[in-house]
């Protein structure tokens, strides 16, 4: 029977989220790679629904365009005035008069729900043939939430909201999670009869179970064994709390799958990121978006990777990378910044205080120290010396630089793009290269050195420099003088033959 029922999912996300104190609609606030709304929709992933509706209101345009991005099959339904959760659901159902069977309702601000729990709720609801089944949880701090009031025999009496509860009811720690499965026909009927006689003057969806019970129907309560999944988010302190809980959940899953996480408390892995077996994640590390860390790679400490692939055996230390690809056994950092489209082939190295952008490093190519590599292709085994700048911008447009295979670029060089350094070519330290360097040749652009003897003694007499120079001259004079008879063999190593 359960397989043949039509299912409609409705997510309520029209509320103002006043307590967030934000210009961003509440359900668009983010935790570990998804918005709250995104997490809630993901939690309905195992339900096999015929249609999904999302009730939007405050920030409707923003929420709808986000929805088009993350769940194009879901339909936004506008609730122009926020007259309560019951009114929100009534508005949604009015848009789909054909919907029958089961209606699954979730709130857009409960991002920790497990897809398994949601599916189990729908399954038991349908197999038991209940009029409604709601998800409840026993939590430590029920403040602000609807309480589950039961009869002595344990059956449900009603849900009472914080504002409308007696002191005795407020002591109840079993709360309404805001996830319900309803029989569509009975639900439509009950929603049509809701009143607004309550502390907020709103139509409460949480009044529907008692209404159904009052007309003789059975309402079941499904209590989750993992109460934190039912937690809602009404302000940013709660959001931070939920984010920490989600972080723990995600880290525990990765550790169970064979990842070493040295400091789970400071490791933040988005739900969208992946980590291979035997990877080691050191402290203060964030793996965000579509980041994928390969087997046996080492990442951290102090690393943020955004939409970045790190292949097997690579090492990334104290670095920030966006939209980049770090090949097998490549090394990055400490203190490196990889901007979008940086691609390191196997065994390549981007070292300390190096910034790259739209740059391809061939196998084994090395940029070890203090360099900027923008808009470049660097051949396999090329070596880029310390302080090299790829001068890619002429004030108007960006240009490309090619460095050939096994080329050697000396320290403190400017490669002024567009320019090519051929395979196996050398560039002398301190050069400013503006013309192509043919394969196998050496390019030098610096002016020859001029040395003016005795300049310091003449132009800076009496300075520390002059004194040091004088002492050096005296020592040299002593060394070149013939040995005196008083020399013993003991300090022979200090003698003139040194
Ligand atoms: C609600 C429940 C409470 C439950 C708690 C679980 C009611 C009256 N109370 O309280 O029993 O314990 O959720 O988290 O149902 N919304 C609309 N349109 C509206 C009003 C709200 O779409 O007119 C949406 C909100 O955007 C939100 C959800 O419904 O996503 C819940 O609203 P919220 O104001 O957060 O209700 P709570 O006070 O948390
Ligand atoms: Mg809420």
């Amino acid at each position: 029977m359960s397989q043949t029922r039509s299912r409609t999912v409705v997510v309520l996300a029209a509320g103002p989220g006043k307590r967030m104190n934000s210009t961003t609609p509440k359900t668009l606030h983010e935790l570990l790679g998804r918005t709250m709304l995104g997490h809630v929709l993901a939690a309905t992933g195992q339900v096999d629904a015929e249609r999904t509706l999302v009730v939007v209101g405050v920030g409707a345009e923003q929420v709808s365009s986000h929805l088009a991005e993350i769940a194009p099959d879901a339909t936004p339904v506008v609730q122009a005035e926020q007259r309560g959760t019951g009114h929100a659901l009534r508005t949604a159902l009015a848009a789909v008069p054909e919907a029958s069977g089961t209606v699954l309702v979730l709130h857009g601000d409960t991002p920790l729900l497990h897809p398994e729990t949601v599916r189990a709720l729908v399954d038991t609801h349908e197999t038991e043939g209940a009029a409604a089944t709601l998800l409840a949880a026993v939590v430590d701090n029920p403040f602000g939430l609807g309480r589950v009031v039961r009869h002595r025999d344990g059956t449900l009496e009603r849900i009472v909201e914080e504002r409308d509860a007696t002191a005795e009811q407020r002591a109840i720690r079993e709360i309404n999670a805001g996830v319900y499965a309803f029989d569509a026909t009975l639900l439509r009927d009950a929603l049509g009869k809701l009143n607004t006689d309550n502390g907020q003057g709103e139509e409460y969806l949480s009044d529907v179970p008692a209404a159904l019970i009052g007309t003789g129907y059975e309402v079941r309560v499904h209590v989750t064994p993992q109460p934190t999944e039912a937690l809602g988010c009404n302000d940013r302190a709660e959001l931070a709390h939920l984010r920490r809980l989600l972080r723990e959940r995600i880290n525990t899953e990765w550790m169970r799958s064979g990842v070493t996480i040295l400091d789970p408390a400071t490791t933040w892995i988005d739900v969208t990121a992946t980590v291979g077996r035997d990877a080691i994640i050191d402290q203060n590390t964030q793996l965000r978006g579509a980041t994928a860390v390969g087997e046996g790679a080492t990442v951290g400490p102090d690393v943020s990777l955004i939409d970045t692939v790190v292949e097997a055996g690579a090492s990334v230390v104290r670095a920030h990378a966006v939209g980049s690809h770090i090949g097998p056994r490549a090394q990055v950092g400490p203190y490196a910044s990889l901007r979008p489209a940086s691609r390191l082939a196997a065994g390549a190295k981007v070292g300390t205080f190096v910034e790259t952008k739209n740059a391809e490093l061939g196998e084994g190519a090395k940029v070890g120290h203090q360099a900027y590599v923008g808009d470049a292709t660097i051949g396999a085994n090329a070596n880029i010396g310390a302080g090299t700048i790829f001068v890619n911008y002429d004030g108007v447009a960006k240009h490309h630089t090619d460095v050939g295979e096994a080329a050697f670029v000396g320290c403190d060089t400017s490669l002024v793009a567009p320019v090519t350094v051929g395979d196996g070519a050398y560039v002398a330290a301190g050069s400013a290269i503006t013309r192509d360097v043919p394969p196998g040749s050496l390019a030098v652009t610096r002016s020859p050195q001029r040395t003016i003897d005795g300049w310091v003694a003449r132009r800076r007499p009496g300075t520390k420099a002059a004194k040091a120079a004088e002492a050096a001259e005296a020592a040299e004079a002593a060394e070149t003088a013939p040995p005196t008879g008083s020399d013993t063999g003991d300090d022979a190593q200090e003698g003139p033959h040194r």
Side-chain angles (χ1 to χ4, degrees), residues 31-32 39 109-114 139-141 226-233 236-253 255 264-265 267-269 271:
L31 49 168
L32 291 170
H39 284 290
D109 64 351
T110 51
L112 299 191
L113 288 169
H114 288 283
V139 299
D140 292 336
N141 177 12
Q226 300 176 77
T228 54
E229 75 170 325
L231 292 175
C233 173
R236 295 193 208 218
E238 286 172 359
L239 178 61
H241 179 57
L242 298 192
R243 195 180 280 125
R244 287 196 296 276
L245 292 171
L246 185 57
R247 180 199 64 211
E248 275 170 32
R249 187 194 288 178
I250 293 169
N251 287 348
T252 302
E253 278 171 21
M255 289 188 280
T267 299
W268 301 84
I269 304 176
V271 286

Short mmCIF file of all heavy atoms in Angstrom, two decimals, residues 31-32 39 109-114 139-141 226-233 236-253 255 264-265 267-269 271:
data_model
loop_
_atom_site.label_atom_id
_atom_site.label_comp_id
_atom_site.label_asym_id
_atom_site.label_seq_id
_atom_site.Cartn_x
_atom_site.Cartn_y
_atom_site.Cartn_z
N LEU A 31 25.12 26.27 6.45
CA LEU A 31 25.98 25.51 7.34
C LEU A 31 26.64 24.36 6.58
O LEU A 31 25.97 23.56 5.96
CB LEU A 31 25.29 25.02 8.62
CG LEU A 31 23.96 24.30 8.71
CD1 LEU A 31 23.78 23.74 10.10
CD2 LEU A 31 22.82 25.20 8.38
N LEU A 32 27.95 24.39 6.58
CA LEU A 32 28.79 23.35 5.97
C LEU A 32 28.34 22.94 4.57
O LEU A 32 28.09 21.77 4.29
CB LEU A 32 28.90 22.17 6.92
CG LEU A 32 29.74 22.53 8.15
CD1 LEU A 32 29.67 21.46 9.22
CD2 LEU A 32 31.18 22.82 7.78
N HIS A 39 19.61 21.69 3.15
CA HIS A 39 19.70 20.52 4.03
C HIS A 39 18.33 19.86 4.19
O HIS A 39 18.21 18.64 4.16
CB HIS A 39 20.23 20.93 5.40
CG HIS A 39 21.71 21.18 5.44
ND1 HIS A 39 22.63 20.17 5.31
CD2 HIS A 39 22.44 22.31 5.60
CE1 HIS A 39 23.86 20.67 5.40
NE2 HIS A 39 23.77 21.97 5.56
N ASP A 109 13.73 25.35 8.67
CA ASP A 109 14.79 25.72 9.61
C ASP A 109 15.23 24.58 10.51
O ASP A 109 15.69 24.79 11.63
CB ASP A 109 14.36 26.94 10.45
CG ASP A 109 13.15 26.66 11.34
OD1 ASP A 109 12.54 25.59 11.20
OD2 ASP A 109 12.82 27.53 12.17
N THR A 110 15.08 23.33 10.02
CA THR A 110 15.54 22.17 10.78
C THR A 110 16.55 21.38 9.94
O THR A 110 16.23 20.33 9.39
CB THR A 110 14.35 21.26 11.18
OG1 THR A 110 13.59 20.99 9.99
CG2 THR A 110 13.47 21.90 12.22
N PRO A 111 17.78 21.89 9.84
CA PRO A 111 18.72 21.37 8.85
C PRO A 111 19.42 20.06 9.22
O PRO A 111 20.12 19.50 8.38
CB PRO A 111 19.76 22.49 8.74
CG PRO A 111 19.73 23.17 10.06
CD PRO A 111 18.31 23.09 10.53
N LEU A 112 19.23 19.57 10.44
CA LEU A 112 19.98 18.37 10.83
C LEU A 112 19.21 17.07 10.64
O LEU A 112 19.68 15.99 11.00
CB LEU A 112 20.45 18.47 12.29
CG LEU A 112 21.39 19.63 12.63
CD1 LEU A 112 21.98 19.44 14.03
CD2 LEU A 112 22.52 19.76 11.62
N LEU A 113 18.01 17.15 10.07
CA LEU A 113 17.20 15.94 9.89
C LEU A 113 17.93 14.91 9.04
O LEU A 113 18.55 15.24 8.04
CB LEU A 113 15.89 16.30 9.17
CG LEU A 113 14.86 17.07 9.98
CD1 LEU A 113 13.76 17.57 9.04
CD2 LEU A 113 14.28 16.18 11.07
N HIS A 114 17.81 13.64 9.44
CA HIS A 114 18.39 12.55 8.66
C HIS A 114 17.38 12.08 7.62
O HIS A 114 16.21 11.87 7.94
CB HIS A 114 18.69 11.35 9.56
CG HIS A 114 19.85 11.55 10.47
ND1 HIS A 114 21.14 11.48 10.05
CD2 HIS A 114 19.91 11.80 11.81
CE1 HIS A 114 21.95 11.68 11.07
NE2 HIS A 114 21.23 11.89 12.15
N VAL A 139 14.46 16.68 24.11
CA VAL A 139 15.66 17.51 24.08
C VAL A 139 15.95 18.11 25.46
O VAL A 139 15.07 18.18 26.31
CB VAL A 139 15.54 18.65 23.04
CG1 VAL A 139 15.36 18.10 21.63
CG2 VAL A 139 14.39 19.60 23.38
N ASP A 140 17.19 18.53 25.65
CA ASP A 140 17.58 19.11 26.94
C ASP A 140 16.95 20.48 27.15
O ASP A 140 16.51 20.82 28.24
CB ASP A 140 19.11 19.25 27.02
CG ASP A 140 19.78 17.89 27.09
OD1 ASP A 140 19.11 16.93 27.52
OD2 ASP A 140 20.96 17.79 26.68
N ASN A 141 16.94 21.27 26.07
CA ASN A 141 16.41 22.62 26.20
C ASN A 141 15.27 22.83 25.22
O ASN A 141 15.49 23.17 24.06
CB ASN A 141 17.54 23.63 25.95
CG ASN A 141 17.02 25.05 26.00
OD1 ASN A 141 15.89 25.31 26.45
ND2 ASN A 141 17.83 25.99 25.52
N GLN A 226 17.57 10.11 17.93
CA GLN A 226 18.69 11.07 17.83
C GLN A 226 18.14 12.48 17.92
O GLN A 226 17.94 13.15 16.90
CB GLN A 226 19.40 10.89 16.50
CG GLN A 226 19.97 9.50 16.34
CD GLN A 226 20.59 9.31 14.97
OE1 GLN A 226 21.68 9.78 14.70
NE2 GLN A 226 19.86 8.65 14.09
N PRO A 227 17.87 12.94 19.14
CA PRO A 227 17.12 14.18 19.31
C PRO A 227 17.74 15.40 18.65
O PRO A 227 17.02 16.32 18.26
CB PRO A 227 17.05 14.36 20.83
CG PRO A 227 17.94 13.34 21.42
CD PRO A 227 18.22 12.31 20.41
N THR A 228 19.05 15.44 18.49
CA THR A 228 19.64 16.67 17.92
C THR A 228 19.17 16.90 16.49
O THR A 228 19.17 18.03 16.03
CB THR A 228 21.18 16.64 17.94
OG1 THR A 228 21.62 15.47 17.29
CG2 THR A 228 21.73 16.71 19.35
N GLU A 229 18.75 15.85 15.81
CA GLU A 229 18.33 16.05 14.42
C GLU A 229 17.06 16.91 14.31
O GLU A 229 16.77 17.45 13.26
CB GLU A 229 18.13 14.72 13.69
CG GLU A 229 16.87 13.98 14.06
CD GLU A 229 16.60 12.80 13.14
OE1 GLU A 229 16.91 12.89 11.94
OE2 GLU A 229 16.10 11.78 13.64
N ALA A 230 16.33 17.00 15.41
CA ALA A 230 15.07 17.74 15.38
C ALA A 230 15.25 19.21 15.72
O ALA A 230 14.31 19.99 15.65
CB ALA A 230 14.10 17.12 16.36
N LEU A 231 16.47 19.61 16.06
CA LEU A 231 16.66 20.99 16.51
C LEU A 231 16.39 21.98 15.40
O LEU A 231 16.84 21.82 14.26
CB LEU A 231 18.08 21.18 17.05
CG LEU A 231 18.39 20.43 18.35
CD1 LEU A 231 19.85 20.60 18.73
CD2 LEU A 231 17.48 20.92 19.47
N GLY A 232 15.66 23.03 15.74
CA GLY A 232 15.39 24.10 14.80
C GLY A 232 16.38 25.23 15.00
O GLY A 232 17.16 25.23 15.96
N CYS A 233 16.35 26.18 14.08
CA CYS A 233 17.29 27.28 14.16
C CYS A 233 16.53 28.59 14.07
O CYS A 233 15.95 28.90 13.03
CB CYS A 233 18.27 27.19 13.00
SG CYS A 233 19.34 28.62 12.92
N ARG A 236 21.23 33.24 15.38
CA ARG A 236 22.56 32.85 14.91
C ARG A 236 23.35 32.04 15.92
O ARG A 236 24.25 31.29 15.56
CB ARG A 236 23.34 34.08 14.49
CG ARG A 236 22.66 34.71 13.29
CD ARG A 236 23.56 35.71 12.67
NE ARG A 236 22.74 36.72 12.03
CZ ARG A 236 23.05 37.29 10.87
NH1 ARG A 236 24.15 36.99 10.25
NH2 ARG A 236 22.25 38.19 10.35
N ALA A 237 22.99 32.20 17.21
CA ALA A 237 23.67 31.37 18.21
C ALA A 237 23.24 29.91 18.00
O ALA A 237 24.07 28.99 18.06
CB ALA A 237 23.33 31.84 19.62
N GLU A 238 21.95 29.71 17.72
CA GLU A 238 21.47 28.35 17.43
C GLU A 238 22.09 27.83 16.14
O GLU A 238 22.45 26.65 16.04
CB GLU A 238 19.94 28.33 17.33
CG GLU A 238 19.27 28.44 18.69
CD GLU A 238 17.75 28.61 18.62
OE1 GLU A 238 17.18 28.67 17.51
OE2 GLU A 238 17.16 28.71 19.70
N LEU A 239 22.26 28.72 15.17
CA LEU A 239 22.88 28.31 13.90
C LEU A 239 24.30 27.80 14.14
O LEU A 239 24.70 26.76 13.61
CB LEU A 239 22.88 29.48 12.91
CG LEU A 239 23.53 29.23 11.54
CD1 LEU A 239 22.83 28.12 10.78
CD2 LEU A 239 23.53 30.51 10.70
N ALA A 240 25.04 28.53 14.97
CA ALA A 240 26.42 28.12 15.28
C ALA A 240 26.42 26.77 16.00
O ALA A 240 27.27 25.91 15.75
CB ALA A 240 27.11 29.18 16.12
N HIS A 241 25.46 26.59 16.88
CA HIS A 241 25.34 25.32 17.61
C HIS A 241 25.05 24.17 16.63
O HIS A 241 25.69 23.12 16.69
CB HIS A 241 24.24 25.45 18.67
CG HIS A 241 24.00 24.22 19.46
ND1 HIS A 241 25.00 23.61 20.19
CD2 HIS A 241 22.89 23.46 19.64
CE1 HIS A 241 24.51 22.53 20.78
NE2 HIS A 241 23.23 22.41 20.46
N LEU A 242 24.11 24.39 15.72
CA LEU A 242 23.77 23.35 14.75
C LEU A 242 24.96 23.05 13.84
O LEU A 242 25.21 21.90 13.47
CB LEU A 242 22.57 23.77 13.89
CG LEU A 242 21.25 24.01 14.61
CD1 LEU A 242 20.12 24.12 13.59
CD2 LEU A 242 20.93 22.89 15.60
N ARG A 243 25.70 24.10 13.50
CA ARG A 243 26.87 23.91 12.64
C ARG A 243 27.91 23.02 13.34
O ARG A 243 28.50 22.14 12.72
CB ARG A 243 27.45 25.28 12.28
CG ARG A 243 28.43 25.23 11.13
CD ARG A 243 28.98 26.60 10.81
NE ARG A 243 28.06 27.40 10.01
CZ ARG A 243 27.62 28.61 10.34
NH1 ARG A 243 28.02 29.18 11.46
NH2 ARG A 243 26.79 29.25 9.55
N ARG A 244 28.09 23.26 14.63
CA ARG A 244 29.04 22.41 15.38
C ARG A 244 28.58 20.96 15.43
O ARG A 244 29.36 20.04 15.27
CB ARG A 244 29.23 22.94 16.81
CG ARG A 244 30.05 24.22 16.90
CD ARG A 244 30.51 24.48 18.33
NE ARG A 244 29.41 24.71 19.26
CZ ARG A 244 28.81 25.89 19.46
NH1 ARG A 244 29.23 26.96 18.79
NH2 ARG A 244 27.84 26.02 20.32
N LEU A 245 27.26 20.78 15.64
CA LEU A 245 26.73 19.41 15.69
C LEU A 245 26.92 18.71 14.35
O LEU A 245 27.30 17.54 14.27
CB LEU A 245 25.25 19.43 16.06
CG LEU A 245 24.92 19.87 17.49
CD1 LEU A 245 23.42 20.05 17.65
CD2 LEU A 245 25.42 18.84 18.50
N LEU A 246 26.67 19.47 13.27
CA LEU A 246 26.83 18.89 11.93
C LEU A 246 28.29 18.56 11.65
O LEU A 246 28.62 17.53 11.06
CB LEU A 246 26.27 19.87 10.88
CG LEU A 246 26.24 19.36 9.44
CD1 LEU A 246 25.44 18.07 9.30
CD2 LEU A 246 25.65 20.44 8.51
N ARG A 247 29.18 19.46 12.09
CA ARG A 247 30.61 19.21 11.92
C ARG A 247 31.01 17.89 12.57
O ARG A 247 31.69 17.07 11.98
CB ARG A 247 31.42 20.36 12.55
CG ARG A 247 32.93 20.17 12.42
CD ARG A 247 33.68 21.03 13.42
NE ARG A 247 33.38 20.63 14.78
CZ ARG A 247 33.36 21.43 15.83
NH1 ARG A 247 33.63 22.70 15.70
NH2 ARG A 247 33.07 20.96 17.03
N GLU A 248 30.54 17.69 13.81
CA GLU A 248 30.86 16.44 14.52
C GLU A 248 30.34 15.23 13.76
O GLU A 248 31.03 14.22 13.64
CB GLU A 248 30.22 16.44 15.92
CG GLU A 248 31.08 17.15 16.94
CD GLU A 248 30.35 17.36 18.26
OE1 GLU A 248 29.50 16.51 18.62
OE2 GLU A 248 30.60 18.40 18.89
N ARG A 249 29.12 15.35 13.26
CA ARG A 249 28.51 14.23 12.54
C ARG A 249 29.34 13.90 11.28
O ARG A 249 29.66 12.74 11.03
CB ARG A 249 27.08 14.61 12.15
CG ARG A 249 26.30 13.46 11.55
CD ARG A 249 25.05 13.96 10.86
NE ARG A 249 24.02 14.40 11.78
CZ ARG A 249 22.85 14.90 11.38
NH1 ARG A 249 22.59 15.04 10.09
NH2 ARG A 249 21.95 15.29 12.25
N ILE A 250 29.68 14.94 10.52
CA ILE A 250 30.43 14.73 9.28
C ILE A 250 31.82 14.16 9.58
O ILE A 250 32.26 13.19 8.95
CB ILE A 250 30.55 16.06 8.50
CG1 ILE A 250 29.18 16.51 8.00
CG2 ILE A 250 31.54 15.94 7.36
CD1 ILE A 250 29.16 17.93 7.46
N ASN A 251 32.52 14.75 10.56
CA ASN A 251 33.87 14.27 10.88
C ASN A 251 33.86 12.82 11.34
O ASN A 251 34.72 12.03 10.97
CB ASN A 251 34.51 15.17 11.95
CG ASN A 251 34.91 16.52 11.39
OD1 ASN A 251 34.93 16.72 10.18
ND2 ASN A 251 35.25 17.46 12.26
N THR A 252 32.86 12.48 12.16
CA THR A 252 32.77 11.11 12.65
C THR A 252 32.60 10.14 11.47
O THR A 252 33.25 9.09 11.41
CB THR A 252 31.61 10.97 13.65
OG1 THR A 252 31.84 11.89 14.71
CG2 THR A 252 31.50 9.56 14.21
N GLU A 253 31.75 10.53 10.51
CA GLU A 253 31.56 9.66 9.34
C GLU A 253 32.86 9.46 8.57
O GLU A 253 33.20 8.35 8.18
CB GLU A 253 30.49 10.25 8.41
CG GLU A 253 29.08 9.91 8.87
CD GLU A 253 28.01 10.66 8.08
OE1 GLU A 253 28.29 11.11 6.95
OE2 GLU A 253 26.89 10.79 8.62
N MET A 255 35.97 9.79 9.71
CA MET A 255 36.92 9.00 10.51
C MET A 255 36.57 7.51 10.43
O MET A 255 37.43 6.67 10.26
CB MET A 255 36.95 9.50 11.96
CG MET A 255 37.64 10.86 12.07
SD MET A 255 37.93 11.41 13.76
CE MET A 255 36.32 12.05 14.20
N PRO A 264 39.32 17.10 15.37
CA PRO A 264 37.95 17.25 14.83
C PRO A 264 37.30 18.57 15.22
O PRO A 264 36.46 19.09 14.47
CB PRO A 264 37.21 16.06 15.44
CG PRO A 264 38.27 15.06 15.76
CD PRO A 264 39.50 15.84 16.11
N ALA A 265 37.70 19.14 16.35
CA ALA A 265 37.05 20.38 16.79
C ALA A 265 37.38 21.56 15.88
O ALA A 265 36.66 22.54 15.85
CB ALA A 265 37.47 20.69 18.22
N THR A 267 38.20 21.10 12.47
CA THR A 267 38.14 20.61 11.08
C THR A 267 36.71 20.74 10.58
O THR A 267 35.79 20.20 11.18
CB THR A 267 38.60 19.14 11.03
OG1 THR A 267 39.94 19.07 11.51
CG2 THR A 267 38.53 18.60 9.61
N TRP A 268 36.54 21.48 9.49
CA TRP A 268 35.20 21.78 8.97
C TRP A 268 35.09 21.25 7.55
O TRP A 268 35.71 21.81 6.64
CB TRP A 268 34.95 23.29 9.01
CG TRP A 268 35.05 23.85 10.39
CD1 TRP A 268 36.19 24.24 11.04
CD2 TRP A 268 33.97 24.07 11.31
NE1 TRP A 268 35.88 24.69 12.31
CE2 TRP A 268 34.53 24.60 12.50
CE3 TRP A 268 32.59 23.87 11.23
CZ2 TRP A 268 33.74 24.94 13.60
CZ3 TRP A 268 31.82 24.21 12.33
CH2 TRP A 268 32.39 24.73 13.50
N ILE A 269 34.36 20.18 7.37
CA ILE A 269 34.24 19.56 6.05
C ILE A 269 32.79 19.74 5.57
O ILE A 269 31.85 19.27 6.22
CB ILE A 269 34.61 18.06 6.11
CG1 ILE A 269 36.04 17.90 6.69
CG2 ILE A 269 34.51 17.42 4.73
CD1 ILE A 269 36.47 16.46 6.90
N VAL A 271 29.34 19.17 3.55
CA VAL A 271 28.65 17.93 3.16
C VAL A 271 28.97 17.55 1.71
O VAL A 271 28.85 16.39 1.32
CB VAL A 271 27.12 18.02 3.31
CG1 VAL A 271 26.72 17.95 4.77
CG2 VAL A 271 26.56 19.27 2.66
#
